[in-house]
Structure formats: structure tokens, C-alpha cells
Amino acid sequence: MSKIAVVFWSGTGNTEAMAQAVAEGATAKGAEVDLIQASDFSADSVAAYDAIAFGCPAMGDEELEADEFQPMWDAVTPELNGKTIALFGSYDWGTGEWMDTWKDDAEGTGASVVETVIANNEPDDEAVSACNDLGASLA
Ligand SMILES: Cc1cc2nc3c(=O)[nH]c(=O)nc-3n(C[C@H](O)[C@H](O)[C@H](O)COP(=O)(O)O)c2cc1C
């Protein structure tokens, strides 16, 4: 059984809804899934998982959330070389630029980024389904 972490930050619940859909998709494929707040995840935790989905909305000016998610991300990136990961998050008025930048950054760590999903505000049925698929693809 593969062990998967879904690590996320969410201010108003939209990325959290995506995280739950990712977890459901992975669980449905038989994976053991831990849903973890960004502030509770650390570099030491990476090795315990076969694959990790990271979720963060567009914040700042097309950036990751600065207080909890970005410091966690900076701390875990040295451990991601060779790891299978996926990225997801919600945005509002932009075009998803933060995700393009984040994906480039993630690929620079040596991780294999299997999928990214973005949702405009609250995830609609299509986005929830894409999150289910993202979870399944990691399982
Ligand atoms: C401080 C702040 C900065 C934001 N910056 C962006 C941005 O640069 N681009 C964008 O598309 N949306 C931006 N948003 C909108 C959020 O990404 C959007 O509301 C998202 O659904 C929040 O997800 P959450 O419910 O998981 O917190 C910003 C929101 C806040 C509060």
C-alpha cells in the first residue's frame, strides 16, 4: 500500500476542499493518506511518504502563502529530489501564474511533478474531479 501525504495551506477553505478531494482520490485507489496542515509538515517527514501532494492558493502577488506555506516549502525542497509530487491550489483574479512559477521551482528540486490542478475560487465539480484524479495518480 502506498503512503501519501496531502500537505496544504488554506485561508478561506477553497484549497482545503481541494485537499480533501485529493485525499479521497488517493484513498479510493487504496493508498494510506495523511491530510496535513503546512505548519505541521517538515523536512523530516518527507521520507515517510511514497508521494506528496502540496496545496497552496495564489497569495501575495502570484506567490505562495508567505507565513506558513513558503517556509515549510523552503525547508522540504532539499528532500524532494527523486520524489513523486503533485501541486494544487485555488486562485481568484489571476491567470494561474503562481502555479507555473511553483511548478518550475518544484521541478528544479529534482522532484517528478506528475500533475498540477488549479481551481478558480471554490472548486466546482470539474475541479473536484480533477483533484480526485490527481490523488489517484499518486496512489
Ligand atoms: C492576500 C491575498 C493575496 C492574493 N493574491 C492572489 C493572486 O496574486 N492571484 C490570484 O489569482 N488570487 C489571489 N488571491 C485570491 C486567493 O488565491 C483566492 O481567494 C483563493 O480561493 C484562496 O484560497 P483558500 O480559500 O484556500 O485560502 C489572493 C488572496 C489574498 C487574501
Side-chain angles (χ1 to χ4, degrees):
M1 184 194 286
S2 60
K3 196 165 174 203
I4 292 176
V6 181
V7 180
F8 70 98
W9 184 93
S10 183
T12 56
N14 297 330
T15 304
E16 182 169 12
M18 298 177 79
Q20 280 163 357
V22 170
E24 282 163 18
T27 304
K29 276 274 184 179
E32 182 186 340
V33 181
D34 289 338
L35 202 53
I36 304 168
Q37 298 277 348
S39 54
D40 293 332
F41 196 72
S42 66
D44 293 348
S45 315
V46 170
Y49 296 97
D50 299 301
I52 306 170
F54 290 98
C56 184
M59 297 293 284
D61 181 10
E62 298 297 329
E63 289 156 344
L64 296 171
E65 189 277 327
D67 292 335
E68 294 182 1
F69 195 91
Q70 183 77 58
M72 179 281 297
W73 176 251
D74 291 342
V76 303
T77 46
E79 306 300 321
L80 294 180
N81 188 18
K83 209 87 190 170
T84 298
I85 67 169
L87 309 176
F88 63 93
S90 174
Y91 68 102
D92 186 355
W93 54 82
T95 57
E97 189 188 326
W98 104 104
M99 182 57 78
D100 295 337
T101 309
W102 188 14
K103 186 180 180 208
D104 285 348
D105 185 25
E107 285 172 342
T109 70
S112 167
V113 184
V114 293
E115 211 171 325
T116 64
V117 173
I118 62 174
N120 193 228
N121 294 304
E122 187 180 349
D124 60 12
D125 289 350
E126 196 181 329
V128 167
S129 177
C131 289
N132 289 156
D133 291 348
L134 183 150
S137 72
L138 291 180

